Structure formats: C-alpha cells, structure tokens
C-alpha cells in the first residue's frame, strides 16, 4: 500500500462547482497533514494544514479522520485560478519533519 | 512576503560531472530540506538539515549527494558524479521552529543530465 494515496485525476469541473479531493495514508503514527497546491512545473505551495477538528479557509475546507486514515479537501465555488494539482502531504515520522507527498490530483476548472 | 530562492533555475550537465544547486532559505527559518521531483512523478524527500547537520536522509540520498550550509544564508546540494536518472526538479524548502512541518518551497532548479 502506498504511503499517501490520492484520487487519480484529472477532475474537470465548471466554474462555480464544488469539488472534493480524497486522500488516504498508510502510517497510523502520522502526525501532521497538509494540502499543497502545485501549478504546472512550479513549486508546491502550502494551501492549508489539516486538523482533527476540521478547518476552513474561505472556500476551502479540510477534514481529517484519524480512525480511517483519511483526509479530504473541499473547494466550493471553483474559480479558473483553482486549476492546479492538489497534493496531499503527510508527516509520517514522529520527531522528524520529513514530508511524504501523494502523487496529486489535477483539477481543471473551465469557464 | 519572505520566500525561498534557488539558483540556477535550470542546469544542464553531462553525465559524470559535479553540480552544486544553491538555495537561500527564509531568513529566520532553522530547518532546511531538499526534495526532488522527476517529471510526472511525486515529490520525494532527499534530506533534512538542522543545527548544521543532517537530521534525516532518504535512501535516494546516497554517497553521491552532500549538503552544506557554507554561511549564514546559503544552503547547497552537491551531486558529485551525476547520472542520467538524476534529471529532475530539485526543490529546496525551509521551516521555522514554531511550525517545522509547515515547509515553504523555493521555485526549484531543473537539472538535466545528458
């Protein structure tokens, strides 16, 4: 089983749609969870950290279910500028800040 | 807004040559990292560096690789004898003591080994 697994993409949605990304991780000892965004041939950019209580930042909502080892990201009211690859990222080793990345899910928002 | 910078943006080298990739992390950050991303694949961890020493390295980071913080601002990755399979985008990242897991990435150096 891969350490961090994401929905295969791409997701094609119209502007204004709501889209959800899912991610599972294999190491139950994982401590910290993130969503990063990566534009084509650019660096990953931190979108948001994910907390057990769930957290929201504007149109973006992230959820963590430790029991199921599952992370989600919901984007409401999609914009053209949301088109990117969304990376699920996990810190899998206690005491170390190494990040393990999923392969990413590409989102294409069309007019 | 402070950012991580990397030079060069693109490096072309011949197999067997040494390359040095340079990074300037965010100035008050204490943790430094190198990751790589082969085209079409996921981002992979190479090495982390804290307090002037390597704190963790992956199995990719073999004897051909080394890192250094030669002064108070630069952080370098050296590949001693490049192979074709070293062709990738190399990202430097940094984080601070308060939130070491929240890492900020530089724009990357695209390394092409011919």
């Amino acid at each position: 089983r891969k350490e961090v697994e994401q929905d295969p993409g791409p997701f094609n949605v119209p502007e204004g749609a709501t889209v959800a990304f899912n991610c599972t991780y294999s190491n139950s000892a994982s401590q910290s969870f993130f969503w990063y965004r990566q534009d084509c041939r650019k660096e990953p950019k931190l979108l948001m950290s994910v907390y057990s209580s769930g957290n929201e930042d504007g149109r973006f909502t992230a959820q963590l279910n430790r029991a199921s080892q599952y992370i989600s990201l919901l984007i409401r009211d999609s914009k053209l500028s949301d088109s990117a690859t969304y990376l699920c990222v996990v810190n899998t080793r206690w005491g170390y800040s190494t990040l393990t990345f999923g392969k990413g899910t590409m989102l294409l928002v069309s007019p | 807004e402070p950012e991580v910078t990397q030079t060069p943006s693109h490096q072309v080298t011949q197999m067997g040559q040494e390359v040095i990739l340079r990074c300037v992390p965010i100035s008050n950050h204490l943790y430094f990292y190198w990751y790589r991303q082969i085209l079409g694949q996921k981002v992979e961890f190479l090495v982390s560096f804290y307090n002037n020493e390597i704190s963790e390295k992956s199995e990719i980071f073999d004897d051909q690789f080394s890192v250094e913080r030669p002064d108070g601002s630069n952080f370098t990755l050296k590949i001693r004898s490049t192979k074709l399979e070293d062709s990738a985008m190399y990202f430097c990242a940094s984080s601070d003591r308060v939130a070491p897991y929240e890492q900020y990435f530089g724009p990357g150096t695209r390394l092409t080994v011919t």
Side-chain angles (χ1 to χ4, degrees):
Chain A
R1 183 179 171 186
K2 292 179 187 169
E3 285 191 275
V4 179
E5 206 150 359
Q6 296 186 242
D7 285 339
F11 288 6
N12 288 283
V13 302
E15 265 187 299
T18 295
V19 60
F21 300 105
N22 302 312
C23 170
T24 56
Y25 59 94
S26 61
N27 188 339
S28 59
S30 298
Q31 296 299 314
S32 302
F33 310 90
F34 308 93
W35 285 100
Y36 276 73
R37 162 198 175 125
Q38 186 174 31
D39 292 289
C40 188
R41 294 181 179 261
K42 301 283 190 183
E43 74 273 24
K45 289 190 176 171
L46 179 62
L47 185 63
M48 55 199 304
S49 302
V50 188
Y51 306 112
S52 297
S53 53
N55 47 306
E56 189 173 311
D57 183 3
R59 298 182 292 109
F60 298 82
T61 301
Q63 296 277 352
L64 167 65
N65 184 321
R66 284 189 184 269
S68 305
Q69 294 176 210
Y70 170 86
I71 307 160
S72 65
L73 175 69
L74 187 77
I75 305 177
R76 290 180 299 280
D77 189 22
S78 301
K79 312 286 184 200
L80 295 176
S81 56
D82 293 334
S83 297
T85 296
Y86 289 82
L87 308 175
C88 178
V89 183
V90 176
N91 164 252
T92 55
R93 291 191 62 193
W94 175 252
Y96 293 90
S97 46
T98 306
L99 298 180
T100 300
F101 284 74
K103 201 169 176 191
T105 304
M106 184 183 292
L107 172 66
L108 300 169
V109 182
S110 52
Chain B
E1 187 178 325
E3 56 184 23
V4 178
T5 59
Q6 290 186 241
T7 53
S9 56
H10 190 194
Q11 172 107 38
V12 181
T13 190
Q14 289 191 324
M15 201 165 49
Q17 295 296 304
E18 174 182 288
V19 294
I20 297 176
L21 311 182
R22 301 179 195 281
C23 167
V24 178
I26 294 172
S27 62
N28 62 338
H29 283 187
L30 300 176
Y31 299 85
F32 314 116
Y33 313 86
W34 285 100
Y35 292 82
R36 80 170 186 191
Q37 186 174 31
I38 295 170
L39 191 62
Q41 298 189 24
K42 66 178 183 177
V43 176
E44 299 174 290
F45 167 75
L46 292 178
V47 65
S48 59
F49 192 86
Y50 171 71
N51 202 26
N52 277 324
E53 59 182 28
I54 290 174
S55 45
E56 192 180 13
K57 59 183 181 180
S58 71
E59 56 196 30
I60 303 169
F61 194 87
D62 61 22
D63 292 344
Q64 293 299 314
F65 291 87
S66 62
V67 289
E68 195 178 32
R69 186 150 163 87
D71 52 43
S73 58
N74 290 284
F75 180 51
T76 63
L77 174 70
K78 183 193 289 187
I79 310 175
R80 260 180 276 284
S81 178
T82 49
K83 307 184 189 78
L84 294 175
E85 55 265 35
D86 293 328
S87 294
M89 184 75 101
Y90 288 81
F91 293 110
C92 174
S94 68
S95 59
D96 67 20
R97 190 200 335 253
V98 173
Y101 305 124
E102 292 188 359
Q103 298 176 19
Y104 294 86
F105 284 70
T109 294
R110 178 164 300 282
L111 177 66
T112 303
V113 183
T114 61

